[in-house]
Amino acid sequence: MRTASGRIVHVSVSDISRTGACVIRRGGIDVEPKEEVILDFGDADRQQRLSLPSLVKWVNGTSYNTVIGLHFVQGPLLPGTMLDEYLDLCLVPRARA
């Protein structure tokens, strides 16, 4: 993730949809609600990159990590990106055990 100041920080995506994502950063990060950031994805095997301009909706910091809710600025993520496989799998009903 790139902040407005250009700082690059590593985050883990804990949840993602076509309209936004929830990311976790170990330790703190200096971002505020309504701040614009860019969420970058890369797949070395496919040699693909995806950058999603995002708006910070909320920030929840603890002593261990920071959880950040993001909304994609350019609207819903349309089909045709490297994230389609993951997003499509989330929409498939799970089999009952």
Side-chain angles (χ1 to χ4, degrees):
M1 184 172 84
R2 288 181 279 157
T3 65
S5 67
R7 182 175 174 215
I8 296 174
V9 294
H10 296 280
V11 296
S12 297
V13 176
S14 65
D15 191 16
I16 190 167
S17 71
R18 293 200 182 273
T19 58
C22 181
V23 298
I24 300 174
R25 163 116 171 121
R26 271 193 164 168
I29 182 173
D30 189 24
V31 294
E32 298 292 328
K34 298 183 182 178
E35 184 174 334
E36 288 193 29
V37 298
I38 299 192
L39 191 56
D40 291 314
F41 293 91
D43 186 330
D45 291 338
R46 295 181 182 181
Q47 297 181 348
Q48 293 179 339
R49 296 190 55 74
L50 177 65
S51 295
L52 300 171
S54 305
L55 186 67
V56 176
K57 298 301 279 184
W58 52 266
V59 179
N60 184 8
T62 67
S63 60
Y64 182 69
N65 61 25
T66 305
V67 182
I68 306 164
L70 301 173
H71 176 75
F72 301 144
V73 173
Q74 297 174 347
L77 186 59
L78 298 175
T81 71
M82 61 189 268
L83 298 177
D84 282 345
E85 281 181 43
Y86 175 79
L87 293 169
D88 290 346
L89 286 175
C90 292
L91 299 174
V92 174
R94 295 183 181 172
R96 293 186 179 181

